[in-house]
Amino acid sequence: MKACLATLLCVGILSACSGPQEPQRAATPAVAATAPAPVPAAPVLVSGIEKGNMDTATRAQDDFYRHVNGHWLDVTEIPADKPSYGSFTKLSDDSIENLRKIIDESAKADPATVDIDQRKIGDLYASFLDEPAIEATGVKPLEATFARIDALKNSKDVAILMGQFGR
């Protein structure tokens, strides 16, 4: 199930990245100005450090790790199904949850209102969750593969079959 969810995640990301491109604008000719142009404001420099996770009550020289991560450590609970938890794990979990919502909406959407790619994603996900159909089908789709395995006679046949499966 995780492999299928990862595949759907990749499909969703790729389809989101192929949005319309903004057209390039033609350069406008320079116009002589009678007054000097205003001086632009100095850019705001942002460090990228999340100061909300810091524990400013702890001095950096006493315990730097606690100073930088103290608030995060105090308020963040490690989920029971994970050995550790950090910002990248949270980002991954949030992305999977957002993707699940998008896929669920695609599966429930009216075919007349969505594009064909979104409909394919929804149909694939719905078929993945259709356990009664999966159970009814059983191993029938694998019977030809099992027959090829049963027909193996020696190690050379195994190597050939593994090469074919690798394609």
Side-chain angles (χ1 to χ4, degrees):
M1 182 160 165
K2 287 184 180 181
C4 186
L5 193 55
T7 302
L8 291 172
L9 175 64
C10 291
V11 169
I13 290 171
L14 290 175
S15 64
C17 293
S18 63
Q21 300 294 323
E22 183 177 322
Q24 292 187 354
R25 297 188 179 125
T28 57
V31 178
T34 56
V39 177
V44 177
L45 299 177
V46 179
S47 68
I49 296 173
E50 180 59 55
K51 293 183 179 180
N53 290 331
M54 298 176 85
D55 178 7
T56 55
T58 303
R59 294 180 346 146
Q61 60 268 39
D62 292 340
D63 184 352
F64 187 71
Y65 184 78
R66 181 78 192 166
H67 174 75
V68 173
N69 301 303
H71 182 70
W72 170 266
L73 295 170
D74 292 341
V75 300
T76 305
E77 182 177 333
I78 298 174
D81 65 331
K82 298 191 178 357
S84 64
Y85 200 68
S87 57
F88 288 109
T89 310
K90 182 176 181 346
L91 179 63
S92 174
D93 290 349
D94 292 348
S95 296
I96 289 172
E97 185 57 36
N98 290 336
L99 179 63
R100 180 172 283 128
K101 288 177 187 175
I102 291 168
I103 292 172
D104 283 337
E105 290 171 7
S106 296
K108 295 174 186 172
D110 179 19
T113 62
V114 297
D115 65 24
I116 189 69
D117 291 332
Q118 186 178 2
R119 190 69 225 161
K120 286 178 183 178
I121 292 169
D123 290 345
L124 175 64
Y125 187 64
S127 70
F128 176 74
L129 295 179
D130 189 2
E131 289 185 35
I134 294 169
E135 291 295 327
T137 303
V139 296
K140 287 179 188 173
L142 298 173
E143 287 176 353
T145 303
F146 292 150
R148 289 175 70 188
I149 293 170
D150 288 339
L152 297 174
K153 304 265 188 270
N154 54 45
S155 60
K156 182 180 176 185
D157 292 344
V158 172
I160 292 170
L161 186 62
M162 289 176 62
Q164 291 170 348
F165 286 164
R167 279 193 239 155

